[in-house]
Amino acid sequence: MFLGLAFSAYVNGICFLLIALLPNILVPLGVSPDFELVKYNALIWPTCAMGIFITLLLDQLYRRIFIYRRKVETLARVDDLTEVANRRHFMEISDRLLETCRRQGTPVSMIMFDIDHFKPINDTYGHPTGDTVLRHVADILKKSLRKSDFPARYGGEEFAVILPQTPPEHSFLVAEKIRRKVMATPLTTPEGVMIQIRISAGVTGVRAATGE
């Protein structure tokens, strides 16, 4: 049964049934006529029923453990509010990306975004609205970046983005594009209040060719 965990519960159930049915098909056809089919059926069917039941339980147990493990791994990497990477995962990936770009001789840049006057937004409209603002900015980031770029919530109202194979002068353009997009996309609260969001951006990077 433990060996059967490598297969689905459906496949295991079919195997159990085939084991139980095979002698009942072969003996009437004349194969091994001395085979004690009555005793075999008396033993095999309860055993198969128990085997299928235990296999289903083990399958559900291991499936739940697998789902729980994936959920824990996701929570360890992803900020649950904005659904971008959290700071810990960002630090791990940024070190890896920086080393990869240095080895390959390609530039790499990083942009830091900070939501302006975020505390007054929380104080005026409440923390749920502040959370909505964070999600709003994170969504704009994700939609404005390439698949190879790596956005993260760095902490509080700060976001960071790693841009592989991007020189610093180009990352300025990316930062400005995102800043303008955030300004052009105000947030409307469920109460109908429009909040104009502004962000500041800082850029740093490495030109692989010059080592700057």
Side-chain angles (χ1 to χ4, degrees), residues 44-87:
I44 197 63
W45 287 107
T47 303
C48 282
M50 185 180 299
I52 292 173
F53 177 72
I54 294 175
T55 301
L56 288 172
L57 288 180
L58 290 174
D59 182 76
Q60 290 297 316
L61 175 62
Y62 277 81
R63 193 181 301 275
R64 290 182 182 181
I65 291 174
F66 176 75
I67 293 173
Y68 178 76
R69 181 178 177 180
R70 288 190 61 182
K71 185 176 180 180
V72 170
E73 290 175 349
T74 300
L75 290 174
R77 297 192 309 264
V78 178
D79 177 65
D80 58 347
L81 178 62
T82 59
E83 296 183 351
V84 295
N86 57 26
R87 179 171 178 169

Side-chain angles (χ1 to χ4, degrees), residues 30-50:
V31 178
S32 186
D34 297 330
F35 186 80
E36 297 184 7
L37 193 59
V38 176
K39 290 183 179 180
Y40 176 80
N41 285 328
L43 292 173
I44 197 63
W45 287 107
T47 303
C48 282
M50 185 180 299

Side-chain angles (χ1 to χ4, degrees), residues 66 97 161 168 182:
F66 176 75
L97 286 175
V161 181
V182 170

Side-chain angles (χ1 to χ4, degrees), residues 178-200:
I178 293 174
R179 189 187 69 83
R180 290 179 178 273
K181 190 169 184 179
V182 170
M183 286 188 61
T185 315
L187 176 68
T188 302
T189 67
E191 295 76 19
V193 178
M194 183 175 292
I195 302 175
Q196 181 67 58
I197 305 171
R198 291 180 173 84
I199 61 174
S200 302

Side-chain angles (χ1 to χ4, degrees), residues 20-33:
L21 288 173
L22 190 60
N24 289 276
I25 296 173
L26 296 178
V27 172
L29 293 177
V31 178
S32 186

